[in-house]
Amino acid sequence: MTRHTIRNVIGAGAFVLVGALALTGCGGSSFDDPSGVDGELTSSDDALTILIGSSGEAETVAVEEAVAAWSAESGVDATVQVANDLAQQLSQGFAAGSPPDLFYLSTDQIAGYAGNGSLMPYGDLLSNKDDFYPSLVENFTVDGEFYCAPKDFSTLALVINTELWAAAGLTDADIPTTWEELDAVAATLSSGGTAGLAFGTEYQRIGTFMAQAGGGLVVDGEAVANSSQNVEALEYVKAGLEAGTFAYASDLGAGWGGEAFGKGLAAMVIEGNWIGGAMSNDFPDVEYVVAELPAGPSGKGTLQFTNCWGMSADSPNQEAALDLVEHLTTADQQLAFSDAFGPMPSVMSAADAWTEANPDLAAFLNGAEYAQFPPNSDGASDVIADFNAQLESLKTGDPASILDSVQGNLEAVVG
């Protein structure tokens, strides 16, 4: 997933996509078995269509060039289409019986499309399937079946304004590694109109504290939103908000954490590796460092976000589509994508090269070892949207009551 995709979608508290409610009623494969005719990939001379949701010209050009190179080598024609509204156009394509062969697919869409037979579950056919990070494979596994190749991913880390840090008398030795240390430096950095730490009003940021407390929304297929660990996490966040050392980016007059950070409204933010593009484009004079998020009562924790290369169950040329996916997810190609528009490669074999090329961003990749991901059950995005709405009043609300409400909603869609 690209940095601007997450900035615009995750940063706005999304995961509620236009086509989400239509998933169970549209599209669907013409095959009784969604894994292709007699469980085999289809093959033909048909050209491939690829639908993407691009962050901008850099991503569009990079994908077009990669697909063109594969097409020239394979002899299969392939066309890249850039969606204005990916979720809506994908939903419309399935409903009309003319979906693209390959497409960007988010974690909150996969269960719905898998459930109605729209997707070809090709994950186990990938020659490089063992190279993907296990948590990313889990992201795109539904009912025990690995559906699609993760195309890249992002995690969350602690981004620190070095000028404000030094002005407060802090050094590298003060970079927080525990909740207690985070409280201390946030208090030190809070001054005038600047909050010590800011983040979005959403589970997609606050969920990091839940992970660090040993909680989460779903564990082993069971809803655990109102666990004692999650209550502890929200109580910790609430205390920081009440003290004024933590703040929601929106309460600082910013649209997202990166804007609050760039404008000096927050000395630290919890954001993902997409912040690099925003800072270089919008706030080039702001110097910063990136550190792993501090450990909580149960250790380190962060969240990850990703998309996969979805494949239509109705594609007449799935063999070529699979070959293209394998080309697009090689270590070399993913490193080229990273250099062009910023995402981290989804294959472990690219880790050393990526870290060498991006040493200042290593904390993001380190988070892959312990990252959680938002639940991918059909309907979970609506539950998260409601959770985010309730988090707006966390400062004056009751964490246990909020989580009880989320638990009831989550139980209705999980399992």
Side-chain angles (χ1 to χ4, degrees), residues 144-356:
E145 193 153 28
F146 178 27
Y147 267 80
C148 50
K151 74 179 192 68
D152 50 44
F153 77 114
S154 300
T155 65
L156 300 175
L158 187 68
V159 187
I160 300 169
N161 183 309
T162 54
E163 181 179 355
L164 296 178
W165 188 265
L170 299 171
T171 69
D172 288 350
D174 296 307
I175 293 177
T177 60
T178 66
W179 280 5
E180 291 76 15
E181 292 173 358
L182 180 63
D183 279 335
V185 296
T188 300
L189 291 165
S190 296
S191 176
T194 300
L197 174 68
F199 39 82
T201 317
E202 54 195 351
Y203 157 75
Q204 291 92 337
R205 299 295 180 275
I206 295 173
T208 58
F209 295 103
M210 295 163 62
Q212 293 152 18
L217 290 180
V218 177
V219 175
D220 295 330
E222 180 181 354
V224 293
N226 62 352
S227 69
S228 60
Q229 293 89 342
N230 289 336
V231 172
E232 181 179 14
L234 291 199
E235 287 179 342
Y236 173 77
V237 175
K238 174 182 170 73
L241 293 172
E242 289 177 334
T245 55
F246 295 177
Y248 287 146
S250 57
D251 289 341
L252 298 175
W256 68 296
E259 182 184 358
F261 187 76
K263 291 182 175 179
L265 302 174
M268 302 182 293
V269 291
I270 297 174
E271 278 298 339
N273 42 295
W274 54 86
I275 197 172
M279 297 304 294
S280 61
N281 292 331
D282 301 331
F283 307 102
D285 297 329
V286 177
E287 299 291 334
Y288 63 93
V289 296
V290 180
E292 292 181 62
L293 290 170
S298 289
K300 294 181 179 181
T302 188
L303 298 181
Q304 70 180 26
F305 307 98
T306 181
N307 279 335
C308 80
W309 287 104
M311 184 188 297
S312 171
D314 284 339
S315 170
N317 200 358
Q318 293 168 343
E319 284 189 358
L322 178 66
D323 189 68
L324 175 55
V325 170
E326 290 180 335
H327 170 77
L328 294 172
T329 56
T330 62
D332 287 345
Q333 184 58 67
Q334 289 205 54
L335 287 168
F337 283 154
S338 179
D339 183 61
F341 57 94
M344 295 190 299
S346 60
V347 289
M348 294 179 285
S349 61
D352 289 345
W354 187 89
T355 300
E356 183 177 350

Side-chain angles (χ1 to χ4, degrees), residues 11-24:
F15 276 98
V16 182
L17 301 174
V18 174
L21 296 179
L23 291 180
T24 58

Side-chain angles (χ1 to χ4, degrees), residues 1-2 48-54 59-60 62-68 70 78-82 86 90 94 100-107 109-110 113 118-124 126 128 132 136 139-140 146-153 306-313 318 320-330 333-334 337 341 343-347:
M1 185 175 286
T2 65
L48 297 180
T49 56
I50 300 98
L51 182 67
I52 70 171
S54 179
E59 180 171 1
T60 298
V63 175
E64 287 177 340
E65 289 181 347
V67 171
W70 171 85
T79 303
V80 176
Q81 301 173 353
V82 180
L86 179 61
L90 188 59
F94 277 115
D101 298 280
L102 289 174
F103 42 88
Y104 284 9
L105 184 67
S106 63
T107 55
Q109 292 177 297
I110 187 169
Y113 281 133
S118 295
L119 301 181
M120 167 64 194
Y122 68 88
D124 287 332
L126 290 161
N128 60 341
F132 295 103
L136 297 179
N139 248 176
F140 296 108
F146 178 27
Y147 267 80
C148 50
K151 74 179 192 68
D152 50 44
F153 77 114
T306 181
N307 279 335
C308 80
W309 287 104
M311 184 188 297
S312 171
Q318 293 168 343
L322 178 66
D323 189 68
L324 175 55
V325 170
E326 290 180 335
H327 170 77
L328 294 172
T329 56
T330 62
Q333 184 58 67
Q334 289 205 54
F337 283 154
F341 57 94
M344 295 190 299
S346 60
V347 289

